[in-house]
Every structure is written in structure tokens, then in C-alpha cells.
Amino acid sequence: MNYTLFIKNNFEYTKIMNIIKHCFYIEKELPNNVFKNEYKKFLCEDFDLILDEKFLENLKILSKLSKDKYVILGILDKKNQSFYEHFGCFNVIKIPIDITNKEFEEIIDFEPQKEYQSVRYCYNKIIYLSQSEDWIIYCDREFEISILALKNNYDIEHLKTLLPRWISIEETIETYLSPMFTVMPKFLKSLNMSKTDLKKTLIKNYTNLL
């Protein structure tokens, strides 16, 4: 892969960033609510799923429902801010939804330089933005989860049949987060929250609203 899919035009980049800011609270981090108010429904998955080429199938299923032809992959890490100075393009990738698994793997493994490693290994805050803005995904390496947020016109129960690995925030806490909090007490301490308060905050922010 080369830089073909990276956004190079400053006007297009500014437009995409404005859309991202319309959909996400980019200054916020988990366990706070990172999604704007129009997103009322949520499903969660293990962070590592987005690092698997098979994740493309998830994007294709969602894009078929929303009739999208592409998705935007963006990086929210502060380190990302100097990417343009080094490479003449922005670390925002416009991914056609009809690419192959191999092509998607090349995207997440693309490593322009050692200090700017690939999506798979380097960045902590990764987002996916659908062309329609009907659904968006926030991925947090430190929390080891990805959260899919959808507008109200989606049936969560139907989505669960299409995306069986995606589960509720309550199930996510039980399956992924509680064991992590036990083996990583320093991470919990860095948040300056008790385990109970952290769970309550996540459930408050990411329980589906009818």
C-alpha cells in the first residue's frame, strides 16, 4: 500500500474533521461519553477486532444497511498532529467498502516510518466514520474495547444477529473490562476512579436509549 487512500487535500481534510467533531466529542475519553447526542444505541467489542482483516466484514455489513460506499478511518492521538509535516498527507484514510480483506490488512499494517507505526501497533484512539454518519465507531486501545454508536433508526436486536460478536456495555464490562481491571490496577488508578464508579459511568453513558 502507498498513500493513495490518505487524505491529501486540506479542504477535504477540514471538511472531514468538521464532520468528525459533529459526531464525536474528540476532546473526551472513556469512560466519558465520546459520542454526540444523536447517537442513542451502542454495541461493544474487543479492541483487537479492529486489528483483524476480518473486521472489514463488519464494516461491509453496516455499510450495506446504511448504503455507504466508503468509511473514514481517523486517528485522534495527539502524536497524529505532525503527520502531515512528515508525509504531505493527513492520517485520515478514506476506505472504499468494496476492498478485499488483504487490502484492508495492508491499510492497518501500513507503516510510513518507525516513529509513525501502523494502526495495528501504534495508535490508542481510532475512529471509524460512516459516509452517511448513521453509525460511527470509537476504538480505545487502553480500555481494550471498541464501541459502535448508531442513530435511533437502527434495531439493536437485529444488528446483534448480523454482528454476533458485538455485545452490550454490561456484557462488555463482565467479559472484557472486569478481568482487565483486576490484572491492571495501575490503569484503574490512573483514571482516579473506583472500579464501581467506572462501571457505573460506562453503563450510564453507553446503555441503549429507546
Side-chain angles (χ1 to χ4, degrees):
M1 177 190 164
N2 52 33
Y3 295 98
T4 305
L5 299 178
F6 285 81
I7 301 300
K8 301 178 181 65
N9 180 278
N10 190 69
F11 176 80
E12 186 176 10
Y13 172 74
T14 300
K15 181 179 178 181
I16 289 173
M17 285 306 301
N18 285 338
I19 296 172
I20 289 174
K21 291 174 183 177
H22 174 75
C23 298
F24 295 90
Y25 293 110
I26 64 171
E27 73 283 357
K28 292 186 178 181
E29 297 182 350
L30 297 181
N32 298 307
N33 180 20
V34 297
F35 303 109
K36 293 293 179 76
N37 291 339
E38 61 204 279
Y39 297 97
K40 305 288 188 184
K41 299 185 177 182
F42 310 99
L43 288 172
C44 307
E45 235 295 17
D46 182 22
F47 177 86
D48 287 342
L49 174 69
I50 71 157
L51 306 178
D52 189 322
E53 66 272 13
K54 294 177 183 177
F55 178 60
L56 178 62
E57 185 59 31
N58 290 249
L59 297 179
K60 290 188 175 186
I61 289 170
L62 289 164
S63 295
K64 184 177 180 180
L65 292 174
S66 54
K67 298 180 173 59
D68 292 323
K69 294 182 179 179
Y70 67 83
V71 297
I72 297 294
L73 189 164
I75 307 296
L76 298 184
D77 294 54
K78 291 182 179 179
K79 179 180 180 179
N80 178 56
Q81 294 172 356
S82 60
F83 193 90
Y84 183 84
E85 297 172 15
H86 285 79
F87 307 111
C89 59
F90 300 96
N91 204 359
V92 175
I93 308 170
K94 196 172 185 177
I95 305 176
I97 209 61
D98 60 355
I99 63 171
T100 65
N101 282 2
K102 185 175 185 302
E103 289 171 323
F104 182 74
E105 186 176 21
E106 288 175 352
I107 290 171
I108 61 175
D109 280 335
F110 182 63
E111 185 175 307
Q113 284 183 8
K114 282 191 176 180
E115 64 267 33
Y116 288 89
Q117 295 177 354
S118 65
V119 171
R120 188 188 296 274
Y121 297 113
C122 187
Y123 299 104
N124 291 324
K125 306 289 187 294
I126 303 165
I127 60 103
Y128 284 91
L129 169 70
S130 64
Q131 177 186 5
S132 61
E133 302 169 39
D134 276 2
W135 55 268
I136 54 181
I137 304 175
Y138 182 91
C139 314
D140 191 306
R141 190 185 297 270
E142 292 175 310
F143 268 82
E144 297 186 9
I145 60 172
S146 299
I147 303 177
L148 166 65
L150 307 107
K151 293 183 177 178
N152 246 347
N153 52 321
Y154 285 86
D155 183 335
I156 284 291
E157 295 307 315
H158 176 58
L159 268 176
K160 285 181 178 179
T161 65
L162 300 176
L163 304 170
R165 287 186 53 173
W166 292 80
I167 56 180
S168 70
I169 188 61
E170 292 87 353
E171 293 171 297
T172 300
I173 290 171
E174 185 68 25
T175 305
Y176 298 121
L177 298 185
S178 289
M180 184 184 76
F181 298 153
T182 301
V183 300
M184 296 177 63
K186 287 184 179 179
F187 173 71
L188 195 62
K189 187 177 180 180
S190 70
L191 297 173
N192 198 29
M193 298 178 75
S194 69
K195 187 186 299 186
T196 299
D197 286 343
L198 179 55
K199 289 179 180 180
K200 285 181 178 178
T201 303
L202 286 168
I203 290 171
K204 175 186 173 184
N205 289 326
Y206 299 110
T207 295
N208 292 309
L209 300 177
L210 300 178

